[in-house]
Amino acid sequence: MPSILTIQNQIQCPHGGQAILVTTNSAFLVDDSPALLESDLHVIAGCPFTVGTVYMPCVEIEWSGGAEMLTVDGVGVLLETSIGLCNNAAGAPQGVAIIMDAAPEVDAI
């Protein structure tokens, strides 16, 4: 099973901007940290991406591919295999988020 993503993970856009990880989840914890949900939108800080002379930073990550069998209030928990699409302020995709680490696996009974 892929690792579950939590607010303790390090995630960045393909240009090096850092995701600010917050979640509406307070019910499901992994190593005392809330798991991220597929419905969470994460702000990106410090993206340097420029097209020609126009600054077009990634500003948020929109997720897909959350867990199907592991949900919180019907919303899938994010896994290291989930896809985070990094968008600019106009909503245009600029690449896929890079997950720098992942939380340990969780075994459920």
Side-chain angles (χ1 to χ4, degrees):
M1 177 177 173
S3 294
I4 296 169
L5 301 182
T6 74
I7 62 169
Q8 295 301 314
N9 286 103
Q10 299 291 319
I11 300 174
Q12 61 183 219
C13 76
H15 316 105
Q18 297 296 311
I20 300 169
L21 302 177
V22 294
T23 183
T24 57
N25 168 40
S26 60
F28 179 61
L29 305 178
V30 177
D31 288 337
D32 296 323
S33 294
L36 300 177
L37 303 177
E38 187 173 2
S39 59
D40 293 334
L41 288 176
H42 299 112
V43 173
I44 299 172
C47 175
F49 188 59
T50 303
V51 177
T53 59
V54 180
Y55 181 51
M56 299 191 98
C58 297
V59 297
E60 74 176 6
I61 302 173
E62 186 177 347
W63 292 95
S64 63
E68 294 179 11
M69 300 298 288
L70 181 58
T71 64
V72 175
D73 294 327
V75 179
V77 169
L78 290 181
L79 305 171
E80 65 183 326
T81 55
S82 299
I83 303 297
L85 194 57
C86 300
N87 298 319
N88 66 16
Q94 302 195 132
V96 177
I98 300 166
I99 301 166
M100 307 302 288
D101 58 0
E105 292 182 14
V106 173
D107 293 324
I109 297 176

